[in-house]
Amino acid sequence: MVDSVLKGISIDNRIVNALKSHRIINMTKPLSEFGMSRYKKRRNVKDEDMFSYSGKKVFVHLDNGDVIGFASNDVKRSVVTWFDEKDGVKEHFYLCRRGDEFSYDDPALSVKDNWSGIINEKVISITVFSVKNPVEDKKFVDSFEAAILLETAKGNMLISDASAAFKYSSSMPVVKLDDAPDGFFDNLEARVL
């Protein structure tokens, strides 16, 4: 499977360095009206929560033109990451941006104020939350990285692998740390990068 070779952020120093060296200027998700409509109807999701809960990918756009992708990976049971665009060159075409997107400030599909502490800021801290005692063996050194917390001087963003515990069951919730459900971190251990 192609996406299984993508790395967890804990073993990709290029991604860590890019996030800490450049300001985040935008965050986007693929826009699939059919998929979003089905998800919204099945889970009774409010329009304004679609940025946080729909889909399995989010793209972080940096002020130097690079775009970093994050996705939920079923093989590793982790959040994986890659450069969607690095120095003007597209990478990992299997998961790259392919067209219509909507961003963190979409007036109908997001709550812009949730992300005001992330936009135009550099990440100063990255924490990876891994499952303490997974019920199955690790297939990869970066398996079971259940969530990534990006923190700036003014805000934070938690990117989680699939979970039914959040406000809405989701393939990859992208929320503020305060929106993590009670008990979410109980079986996780934190590692600051």
Side-chain angles (χ1 to χ4, degrees):
M1 183 172 243
V2 175
D3 65 1
S4 67
V5 300
L6 294 175
K7 297 176 182 176
I9 198 167
S10 65
I11 60 172
D12 197 335
N13 289 333
R14 294 182 330 140
I15 299 287
V16 171
N17 292 338
L19 288 166
K20 290 184 174 182
S21 300
H22 302 283
R23 290 180 302 111
I24 296 172
I25 59 168
N26 197 6
M27 297 184 303
T28 60
K29 282 192 161 190
L31 178 63
S32 164
E33 290 186 26
F34 176 72
M36 289 170 61
S37 172
R38 285 184 60 213
Y39 174 68
K40 184 178 157 187
K41 198 176 284 185
R42 262 194 345 244
R43 304 285 184 222
N44 199 26
V45 180
K46 292 181 184 174
D47 284 347
E48 64 199 33
D49 290 328
M50 293 304 285
F51 184 82
S52 291
Y53 294 99
S54 68
K56 288 181 80 162
K57 292 185 256 182
V58 66
F59 296 96
V60 174
H61 303 249
L62 303 178
D63 64 359
N64 69 339
D66 290 348
V67 179
I68 297 170
F70 293 87
S72 178
N73 180 288
D74 297 336
V75 174
K76 292 183 177 184
R77 295 194 178 189
S78 293
V79 176
V80 294
T81 187
W82 70 98
F83 278 104
D84 179 72
E85 195 164 323
K86 175 77 173 138
D87 300 324
V89 177
K90 286 289 226 178
E91 296 189 12
H92 293 291
F93 284 95
Y94 176 68
L95 288 173
C96 73
R97 292 173 298 136
R98 296 187 178 194
D100 291 342
E101 296 177 298
F102 69 106
S103 76
Y104 77 95
D105 61 353
D106 186 287
L109 301 174
S110 185
V111 179
K112 179 181 177 180
D113 290 345
N114 283 349
W115 310 112
S116 60
I118 295 290
I119 300 302
N120 292 316
E121 297 292 324
K122 290 181 184 178
V123 172
I124 57 173
S125 177
I126 299 172
T127 306
V128 176
F129 295 93
S130 300
V131 176
K132 284 182 189 172
N133 299 305
V135 293
E136 58 188 79
D137 292 336
K138 278 185 147 190
K139 294 180 176 127
F140 301 90
V141 68
D142 55 346
S143 288
F144 303 109
E145 292 183 353
I148 299 168
L149 177 64
L150 304 178
E151 295 177 279
T152 71
K154 296 181 180 177
N156 61 64
M157 176 172 64
L158 182 69
I159 305 168
S160 175
D161 190 31
S163 177
F166 283 79
K167 181 177 180 180
Y168 305 104
S169 179
S170 175
S171 297
M172 193 181 85
V174 177
V175 297
K176 307 273 291 165
L177 180 59
D178 292 346
D179 294 327
D182 291 341
F184 178 74
F185 298 101
D186 289 354
N187 190 37
L188 301 177
E189 55 191 355
R191 187 173 121 200
V192 179
L193 304 180

